């Protein structure tokens, strides 16, 4: 990574870590190598990792800015913490379980420079085998229809006839959408400064994007820039207590924008789909011991830990300000 003569980066990358030692070396190394001559800074906010995440950053990436929180503040608070330190024209929120190929950041900068109405841009996401997988990228805002289509996998039958909240068709060129996956988001500096990440939980990237879109900015994804995303492998170790008692951002959005019946149907469809898929993944894991199945089973357990029906109660549970390890 190289700074301009004046020391001002073009791009500020913000990465929040929590027990990310398995991936952080690949993430920071790929950004450092792939940025080339582009003036870039990488800000790492470590949420009280118990492994050697912070040590790896400190020893092997001395040019990165490392902030070590004493408690796990959650993704959204740490993203805001990193954004406040960022100095670049563009802020990139980047997950630690990613690899950024050479030229990706430059391609995204070129698109943002050429389309001043785009506030947030997401790249094409592929898995560790280089394949696009349905459900990796954001797509549509939640309604009862899109939640049922997505969580019962009807959107796998047809991207257009049964649109879900996630994209099931590969992206080519530049396409507008309601929200983009928070694994990698390039945000215009003035937009990042004006809008905060809010409640941590499933759909926090949706919540971040939708408030920006509702303010008149375009949210877009591009097939001309690509990121490898290992899709939250910490779920294989996570317990479901992290989000316990809080509503998901999808449920909160429905209650704020739709009537109670519409909201109830959407939440019921979402949670039914999660229960069916979680049971199938757990059974297949017991039969095959495939760690991919364990990851997917644990991910559904995390989603189901949300108390989505709390959106109907007047007395809402307090939102935690730090999270269990």
């Amino acid at each position: 990574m190289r700074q301009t003569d004046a020391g001002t980066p073009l791009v500020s990358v913000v990465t929040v870590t929590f027990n990310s030692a398995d991936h952080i070396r690949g993430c920071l190394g790929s950004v450092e190598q792939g940025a080339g001559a582009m003036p870039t800074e990488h800000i790492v906010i470590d949420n009280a990792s118990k492994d050697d995440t912070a040590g790896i950053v400190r020893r092997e990436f001395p040019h990165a800015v490392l902030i070590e929180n004493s408690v796990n503040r959650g993704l959204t608070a740490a993203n805001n913490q990193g954004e406040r330190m960022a100095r670049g024209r563009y802020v990139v929120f980047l997950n630690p379980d990613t690899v950024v190929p050479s030229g990706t950041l430059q391609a995204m900068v070129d698109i943002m420079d050429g389309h001043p109405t785009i506030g947030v841009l997401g790249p094409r996401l592929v898995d560790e085998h280089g394949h696009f997988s349905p459900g990796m990228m954001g797509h549509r805002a939640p309604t009862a229809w899109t939640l049922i289509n997505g969580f019962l996998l009807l959107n796998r039958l047809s991207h257009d006839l049964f649109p879900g909240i996630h994209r099931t068709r590969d992206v080519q060129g530049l396409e507008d959408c309601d929200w983009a996956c928070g694994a990698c988001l390039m945000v215009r500096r003035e937009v990042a400064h004006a809008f905060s990440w809010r409640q941590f939980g499933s759909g926090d990237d949706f919540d971040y994007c939708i408030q920006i879109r509702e303010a008149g900015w375009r949210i877009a994804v591009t097939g001309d820039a690509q990121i490898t995303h290992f899709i939250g492998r910490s779920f294989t170790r996570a317990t479901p207590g992290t989000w316990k008692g809080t509503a998901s951002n999808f449920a909160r959005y429905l209650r704020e924008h739709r009537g109670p019946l519409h909201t109830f149907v959407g939440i019921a469809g979402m949670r039914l789909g999660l229960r069916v898929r979680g049971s199938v993944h757990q059974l297949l894991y017991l039969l095959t011991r495939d760690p991919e199945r364990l990851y997917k089973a644990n991910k559904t357990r995390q989603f189901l830990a949300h108390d989505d029906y709390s959106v109907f109660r007047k007395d809402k549970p307090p939102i935690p300000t730090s999270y269990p390890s």
Side-chain angles (χ1 to χ4, degrees), residues 167-188:
R167 172 179 288 275
T168 55
R169 182 175 61 200
D170 204 349
V171 57
Q172 297 181 346
L174 187 66
E175 296 185 30
D176 283 22
C177 54
D178 292 339
W179 66 286
C181 176
C184 179
L185 296 176
M186 179 172 282
V187 186
R188 203 171 294 278

Side-chain angles (χ1 to χ4, degrees), residues 15 17-19 44-49 53-54 66-69 71:
T15 297
T17 56
F18 175 66
N19 293 344
V44 178
I45 309 294
D46 185 69
N47 266 335
S49 291
T53 299
L66 173 64
I67 303 299
E68 298 180 64
N69 289 334
V71 296

Side-chain angles (χ1 to χ4, degrees), residues 219 290 306:
I219 311 296
D290 181 358
H306 280 302

Side-chain angles (χ1 to χ4, degrees), residues 33-205:
Q33 181 177 4
M38 176 188 292
T40 309
E41 66 177 353
H42 205 145
I43 301 166
V44 178
I45 309 294
D46 185 69
N47 266 335
S49 291
K50 300 297 191 294
D51 63 8
D52 195 35
T53 299
I56 292 172
V57 177
R58 192 183 306 108
R59 292 190 304 269
E60 301 182 24
F61 301 94
H63 297 298
V65 178
L66 173 64
I67 303 299
E68 298 180 64
N69 289 334
S70 59
V71 296
N72 185 353
R73 301 184 62 197
L75 176 67
T76 52
N79 268 342
N80 292 333
Q81 188 178 358
E83 183 278 325
R84 288 192 293 270
M85 301 177 63
R87 299 174 296 131
R89 184 195 310 169
Y90 299 109
V91 180
V92 175
F93 296 102
L94 182 70
N95 279 15
D97 54 350
T98 57
V99 172
V100 182
S102 180
T104 291
L105 293 179
Q106 185 63 62
M108 295 178 74
V109 166
D110 291 343
I111 292 171
M112 295 289 273
D113 283 348
H115 297 81
T117 58
I118 296 178
V120 180
L121 178 67
R124 178 176 183 258
L125 299 179
V126 298
D127 62 20
E128 55 265 45
H129 307 295
H131 301 144
F132 171 83
S133 297
M136 290 180 72
M137 299 175 64
H139 183 45
R140 292 286 175 253
T143 63
W145 178 242
T146 58
L147 286 173
I148 291 170
N149 289 340
F151 284 92
L152 290 176
L153 301 185
L154 298 176
N155 59 341
R156 304 293 177 94
L157 301 176
S158 173
H159 179 81
D160 297 317
L161 292 178
F162 301 101
I165 61 171
H166 293 97
R167 172 179 288 275
T168 55
R169 182 175 61 200
D170 204 349
V171 57
Q172 297 181 346
L174 187 66
E175 296 185 30
D176 283 22
C177 54
D178 292 339
W179 66 286
C181 176
C184 179
L185 296 176
M186 179 172 282
V187 186
R188 203 171 294 278
R189 184 72 189 89
E190 59 270 30
V191 174
H193 184 68
F195 297 93
S196 296
W197 291 76
R198 297 188 291 196
Q199 180 173 319
F200 180 43
S202 55
D204 43 33
D205 44 4

